[in-house]
Amino acid sequence: MNTPVRQQYLRLKAEYPDALLLFRLGDFYELFDADAVVASRDLGLTLTGRQFSKGERSPMAGVPFQHAETYIGRLVERGHRVAIAEQVSVPHASKGLVERKITRVITPGTVREPGLLQSGCNNFLASILVQPGAAGLAYVDVSTGEFYMQHVVGEPVEPAVLRELARVSPVECLWPHEGLQFSLRTHGDADGEPGAAPVDFEPGPVIQAPFSVPNCVMTPVAAHHFSLEAASAVLESQAGIDSLRGKPYSQFVLALGAAGALLAYLRHTQPASITILRTPVLYQGEDHMTLDAPTRRNLELTQTMRGGAPSGSLLAVLDHTRTPMGGRLLRRWLNAPLVMLAPLLRRQAAVEALVADTVLRLKIADALAGIGDIDRLVCRAQQGTANPRELMALARALNRLQRLGAALGSAPGAGPEGSLLVASGDTLAAINGALDPCAEVASAITDALVDDPPAASSDGGFVRAGYSASIDEVDAGSKEAREWLAGLEASERLRTGIKTLKVVYSRVFGYALEVGKSGLARVPDDYVRKQTVAGGERYVTPELKQREALLLRSQEQRLRLELEVLEDLRQRVAMAADRMLRSADAVGQVDVYTSFAVVALEQNYRRPVLDTGDEIAITGGRHPVVEVSQRDTSFVPNDTLLDARCRLAVLTGPNMAGKSTYLRQVALIVLLAQVGSFVPAEGAHIGLVDRIFTRVGAQDDLAAGQSTFMVEMSEMSAILADCTPRSLLIIDEIGRGTSTKDGLALAQAVLEYLHDSPGHRAKTIFATHFHELTVLAEQRPHIENFRMEVLEEGDRVVFLRRVAPGSADKAYGIHVAELAGLPDTVIGRARALLRQYEGSNVDVKTTRRRLKEAAVDVQLSLFCES
Ligand code: ADP
């Protein structure tokens, strides 16, 4: 027969069988049975046991409740879900079994403890509903309240879903796992606004394959949750309907299904988080540049390819933001460059104004420095978890908004119609307009709380004296008792003559008079012995008992009143949450603009000219990351021109000459321009591109069971299918993973395809070690050859890192091998062999001749057909 507490445990565990249950027992969270085994393995805890019924011992492992956050964080990081069973009745007050309830379930996507979150990163929980040809995506951040929905199309749709998931980079993603049973029945016109005639949306087949997304836990959820009924919370709110008004119904119905599952999941894991979700924003994919996962990886936008660390990435160079809101927004902007001119010009103008006006920039930077994480503080207040210290931090942040507003108010006003100043004035003025310091809430907090309030609310002591008449009254009532107690030690020493007498306090036994062994003989009659301790005895007196009871009562009363004040402050914040969150968004924006301006000045970036033309012209371009990471050598700038005439630049040059760096720098300059930043160049004219594709290097994706060559070819095939004349293509070597002839043939065919099919003639830079390909420039009008310049002085080879017209004639591989430290014998032998090969170099010549003949053949056949 199980004990009552064991029965309680088993009942709670049955509610959340897939989570590790942390069961509160006094000062510990205990895990039992299989959970205890898992936790002791993953957290290095000692495995003990507990006897619940006769003969049976359950494995048990525990973590102290004060340090639970760290342990929970480690469990969640390892992909576990953690359910917390709290004691909800006061142990002393209730007779018998303490009542326990599961208060929340923590999964990677539902973490909200500040200590477990990265401040410059969103912590997105996503949900996908995929059908052939279209998919719905919804994602929320329960620590900031942000909520997005997106309709994704594609044929097939899976790569498009993966691209969007790579952009969002959620930590957890829900997907339906029961086939066809999801329902999308609601009231709504099939292609109009929601709320009209009832209609049954035809449930189509759901694509089930769980997607594999890096660093994301895929959580299967019963398919019936992907329903409009579940999403009704979104539809019910007027704001929710407004955000969708005017959009064809078919464009958000799947996203609503996905949102439905998200809401159901949140309700299941932590009901409180539903209340903090903001109005969902329908993310318009078409306004943004789609970047596929390999391109994101190759360009090292937010983390490096090797090691995945943020340092060494583009983000690390650009990030001079001073607030968590700015940090998160910068990351989002880098992950979703724009393709529309107007918003980019607005961003540029704001950056320009901040570059031009040092005083303004410094004032803004100074005001930003003290603003903490408004988003997350507001959400914690809304969820009722913000502690006194956090509320004070929020009040201070709000006060600093006034300073930020004053700084922005001194920005140059709107200039003459059509000038740049109009735009900069507009952007900064709009930001200023959105800033709302919510002074009444801020002063309510500072009036109520002491200057430096404690983080924990459980001990009280955070409400300022004079703020609440009732608290002051309680204080006054206990004043005499406190003073009496404060003087007790001295007065009792005097009365009894015991010099070692001390007044001590313990949580369990309360106040006592402690007398050392030497003083025991003098203990007066009215002392009642309470406890024996190592050095002597502890006593109480009737007077002490009476005062203690009074103090306890007043402490309890005071704490209750203080907690009421705290709750009132939280509610005031919650009422003003919308205004505060709008301000937080504005802070994020001005923070990113200021960060762009600081980088532009420190790294000597220039404002690129943007238009919708067909040209990419860069003078003196530099690689933003390599130029700062190279301390010893100075970076050599290079020019780039891709236009109607030169569509495809074929770049040859030895290893280590700087080809990859050059290729990436062009892509990064274009990307930075389309994020609204200035660019590392003397000047740039960028006709906006619709997409940037990169195919770089050779990487085995062994985990996915694909060889280097297979990866290379599938990436290439995706690029050739999707690129348009408005795209920018960076191809760094192709055809290396197979035989030379195979590889050369493929590389040439790809180049020809890009040149010859007008629908895919993307602006391309093609770095290759197949020198044979340079002959194509002679045959095709839009291909030009470039090479990395190399200076040869006797045996010495110097890489000049300069891009020049023409093609390279040597590979210098042996030179690079020598630099890498291969033994002299090997180098010597290789040189001799090379001389031998070069003597009989029929291969290249034959290839050139064949290519020319082949070109004539093609032209002839075209001629015959027409
Ligand atoms: P490749 O692709 O031709 O093998 P990389 O682009 O990898 O060459 O460059 C080789 C090294 O040269 C890099 O480590 C980089 O630091 C340096 N480098 C490349 N381009 C430049 C440049 N423009 N100025 C200075 N150093 C450069």
Side-chain angles (χ1 to χ4, degrees):
M1 181 64 193
N2 283 320
T3 58
V5 73
R6 176 67 172 169
Q7 285 171 15
Q8 187 187 44
Y9 172 82
L10 291 174
R11 191 169 39 72
L12 291 172
K13 177 69 194 168
E15 282 178 38
Y16 292 85
D18 55 350
L20 297 177
L21 180 58
L22 263 59
F23 190 76
R24 180 76 180 266
L25 276 175
D27 284 344
F28 277 80
Y29 284 115
E30 302 288 0
L31 297 107
F32 297 104
D33 311 331
D35 289 3
V37 177
V38 171
S40 80
R41 184 194 63 205
D42 287 358
L43 298 176
L45 302 174
T46 320
L47 195 64
T48 57
R50 182 161 169 147
Q51 196 114 19
F52 281 114
S53 52
K54 253 197 205 140
E56 219 186 299
R57 241 172 107 76
S58 306
M60 177 172 101
V63 298
F65 119 93
Q66 295 97 327
H67 306 297
E69 188 171 307
T70 323
Y71 288 108
I72 294 171
R74 276 160 58 194
L75 288 174
V76 171
E77 223 167 66
R78 286 178 168 258
H80 298 298
R81 0 166 107 262
V82 177
I84 309 286
E86 282 297 349
Q87 296 174 171
V88 290
S89 63
V90 185
H92 303 300
S94 59
K95 292 217 170 61
L97 190 62
V98 179
E99 202 185 325
R100 289 186 182 79
K101 240 182 165 163
I102 300 215
T103 46
R104 54 191 292 238
V105 181
I106 304 161
T107 69
T110 55
V111 169
R112 49 172 215 228
E113 283 69 14
L116 304 180
L117 292 164
Q118 279 179 292
S119 69
C121 260
N122 272 111
N123 197 63
F124 281 126
L125 166 68
S127 167
I128 49 172
L129 178 54
V130 186
Q131 287 193 322
L137 170 66
Y139 50 104
V140 296
D141 181 338
V142 293
S143 67
T144 64
E146 285 155 285
F147 185 179
Y148 298 91
M149 300 203 304
Q150 188 183 355
H151 184 68
V152 182
V153 285
E155 205 53 74
V157 73
E158 289 92 329
V161 173
L162 279 175
R163 275 198 298 273
E164 292 312 316
L165 286 176
R167 173 180 62 78
V168 175
S169 65
V171 290
E172 182 176 1
C173 183
L174 315 179
W175 59 280
H177 82 313
E178 277 171 16
L180 305 176
Q181 306 167 16
F182 79 99
S183 62
L184 283 171
R185 286 155 203 271
T186 188
H187 302 288
D189 180 342
D191 244 326
E193 290 172 8
V199 74
D200 279 354
F201 189 88
E202 195 57 37
V206 177
I207 296 177
Q208 296 236 358
F211 290 77
S212 154
V213 183
N215 305 321
C216 174
V217 175
M218 298 302 294
T219 303
V221 166
H224 67 267
H225 287 303
F226 287 75
S227 70
L228 292 185
E229 284 83 13
S232 60
V234 183
L235 281 172
E236 269 163 18
S237 77
Q238 187 53 40
I241 293 178
D242 285 349
S243 78
L244 304 174
R245 200 176 293 282
K247 305 272 183 286
Y249 187 58
S250 59
Q251 278 196 12
F252 57 79
V253 67
L254 289 174
L256 267 180
L262 257 186
L263 295 179
Y265 187 68
L266 287 181
R267 223 169 267 132
H268 179 66
T269 53
Q270 35 200 318
S273 60
I274 300 275
T275 55
I276 60 126
L277 292 186
R278 305 196 208 174
T279 307
V281 174
L282 205 60
Y283 180 88
Q284 306 284 345
E286 58 272 26
D287 296 348
H288 299 85
M289 189 194 293
T290 314
L291 296 169
D292 50 29
T295 300
R296 264 170 224 289
R297 204 175 47 239
N298 294 333
L299 294 180
E300 306 190 299
L301 296 185
T302 53
Q303 57 184 45
T304 53
M305 274 166 92
R306 277 195 197 105
S311 74
S313 68
L314 180 64
L315 178 69
V317 172
L318 289 187
D319 193 355
H320 287 253
T321 57
R322 291 174 162 233
T323 68
M325 286 76 76
R328 291 192 291 266
L329 185 65
L330 175 59
R331 187 180 277 269
R332 280 212 299 274
W333 279 8
L334 275 188
N335 276 322
L338 297 175
V339 292
M340 316 282 268
L341 192 56
L344 281 171
L345 292 179
R346 277 199 294 277
R347 287 187 189 179
Q348 278 195 335
V351 180
E352 171 119 32
L354 292 163
V355 166
D357 191 337
T358 302
V359 176
L360 173 66
R361 193 178 60 251
L362 291 178
K363 273 200 225 160
I364 291 178
D366 179 51
L368 287 170
I371 302 179
D373 203 334
I374 299 184
D375 281 328
R376 286 187 176 155
L377 289 172
V378 170
C379 284
R380 288 179 63 74
Q382 284 178 297
Q383 291 174 330
T385 49
N387 63 43
R389 189 174 289 168
E390 286 169 332
L391 285 177
M392 187 53 101
L394 179 61
R396 299 218 164 104
L398 292 170
N399 287 335
R400 286 196 88 86
L401 292 186
Q402 299 191 355
R403 203 143 139 194
L404 182 60
L408 281 166
S410 64
E417 198 69 27
S419 79
L420 282 178
L421 277 181
V422 176
S424 75
D426 281 356
T427 311
L428 296 181
I431 289 176
N432 197 7
L435 287 182
D436 181 347
C438 300
E440 74 291 355
V441 186
S443 52
I445 296 172
T446 47
D447 286 351
L449 300 183
V450 295
D451 284 344
D452 195 7
S457 54
S458 50
D459 293 334
F462 49 84
V463 174
R464 198 182 278 282
Y467 174 75
S468 146
S470 349
I471 294 181
D472 291 346
E473 209 172 288
V474 172
D475 278 353
S478 63
K479 189 163 175 257
E480 189 274 333
R482 273 180 288 131
E483 281 171 4
W484 180 86
L485 201 65
L488 183 65
E489 197 169 281
S491 63
E492 283 304 287
R493 280 184 187 180
L494 201 67
R495 176 163 82 97
T496 59
I498 309 172
K499 297 228 164 48
T500 55
L501 184 144
K502 278 190 298 191
V503 174
V504 291
Y505 176 79
S506 80
R507 258 183 198 270
V508 184
F509 296 106
Y511 288 100
L513 297 153
E514 189 176 303
V515 178
K517 289 205 174 99
S518 59
L520 290 180
R522 297 180 181 215
V523 168
D525 290 347
D526 58 337
Y527 275 29
V528 181
R529 209 175 61 82
K530 188 170 179 183
Q531 191 193 3
T532 305
V533 288
E537 301 285 345
R538 284 184 178 170
Y539 303 91
V540 288
T541 63
E543 259 185 311
L544 179 57
K545 281 259 76 119
Q546 181 211 340
R547 251 93 176 193
E548 180 181 12
L550 191 143
L551 275 179
L552 266 180
R553 253 198 327 277
S554 68
Q555 262 167 17
E556 262 169 34
Q557 257 176 341
R558 187 179 214 282
L559 184 60
R560 193 170 41 74
L561 292 168
E562 284 202 73
L563 290 175
E564 275 172 21
V565 172
L566 184 66
E567 191 45 41
D568 170 60
L569 293 176
R570 285 178 184 148
Q571 277 177 16
R572 284 184 201 222
V573 173
M575 302 270 284
D578 281 350
R579 288 154 66 201
M580 292 183 194
L581 294 176
R582 253 200 315 279
S583 301
D585 286 345
V587 169
Q589 283 181 39
V590 71
D591 197 8
V592 175
Y593 292 138
T594 314
S595 177
F596 281 164
V598 170
V599 182
L601 286 160
E602 282 184 3
Q603 303 299 330
N604 202 13
Y605 287 11
R606 296 286 156 75
R607 176 177 179 160
V609 175
L610 302 183
D611 60 24
T612 52
D614 194 27
E615 184 181 293
I616 293 178
I618 300 167
T619 45
R622 300 163 341 250
H623 190 296
V625 182
V626 176
E627 77 164 337
V628 294
S629 59
Q630 262 179 350
R631 283 193 205 96
D632 313 334
T633 41
S634 56
F635 194 86
V636 181
N638 275 302
D639 299 344
T640 308
L641 179 64
L642 293 168
D643 59 6
R645 206 173 62 81
C646 172
R647 287 312 265 190
L648 294 102
V650 174
L651 180 65
T652 44
N655 274 326
M656 288 297 287
K659 299 184 301 296
S660 307
T661 307
Y662 176 71
L663 255 57
R664 286 187 168 99
Q665 106 186 12
V666 174
L668 289 174
I669 287 174
V670 171
L671 185 128
L672 281 174
Q674 296 199 213
V675 164
S677 163
F678 285 16
V679 298
E682 279 161 37
H685 184 141
I686 311 286
L688 298 185
V689 306
D690 62 356
R691 286 185 64 172
I692 297 174
F693 293 95
T694 63
R695 153 92 275 287
V696 171
Q699 267 188 328
D700 271 327
D701 195 350
L702 292 178
Q706 290 194 309
S707 71
T708 312
F709 188 65
M710 188 63 191
V711 173
E712 184 174 325
M713 287 303 121
S714 33
E715 283 183 16
M716 204 58 237
S717 100
I719 294 175
L720 292 184
D722 289 345
C723 72
T724 77
R726 298 214 61 86
S727 312
L728 173 65
L729 231 79
I730 296 299
I731 301 176
D732 191 358
E733 302 287 7
I734 179 165
R736 284 199 117 163
T738 178
S739 79
T740 313
K741 283 182 191 154
D742 244 12
L744 174 60
L746 275 166
Q748 184 179 341
V750 165
L751 252 181
E752 287 179 357
Y753 179 82
L754 285 169
H755 182 280
D756 299 349
S757 28
H760 296 286
R761 197 181 285 160
K763 289 181 270 290
T764 306
I765 310 184
F766 196 107
T768 180
H769 65 288
F770 292 124
H771 290 217
E772 294 85 344
L773 291 179
T774 54
V775 77
L776 285 174
E778 294 165 26
Q779 301 162 1
R780 285 178 162 75
H782 303 299
I783 300 183
E784 283 191 21
N785 291 329
F786 295 87
R787 66 196 162 89
M788 299 305 301
E789 274 193 318
V790 174
L791 193 70
E792 217 176 334
E793 292 170 331
D795 253 3
R796 220 167 70 88
V797 178
V798 182
F799 296 134
L800 297 179
R801 319 282 190 214
R802 269 206 308 260
V803 177
S807 58
D809 47 2
K810 276 197 188 170
Y812 299 101
I814 299 178
H815 172 72
V816 174
E818 196 177 4
L819 287 181
L822 251 66
D824 291 347
T825 358
V826 175
I827 298 293
R829 173 67 181 147
R831 287 218 163 94
L833 283 171
L834 179 66
R835 275 192 292 277
Q836 239 179 51
Y837 297 153
E838 280 174 341
S840 58
N841 189 2
V842 281
D843 229 349
V844 172
K845 278 188 199 149
T846 325
T847 323
R848 276 179 185 265
R849 187 172 41 82
R850 284 203 193 149
L851 282 170
K852 280 188 179 163
E853 286 164 8
V856 174
D857 281 353
V858 171
Q859 277 162 13
L860 276 176
S861 64
L862 283 175
F863 182 74
C864 295
E865 273 170 27
S866 56

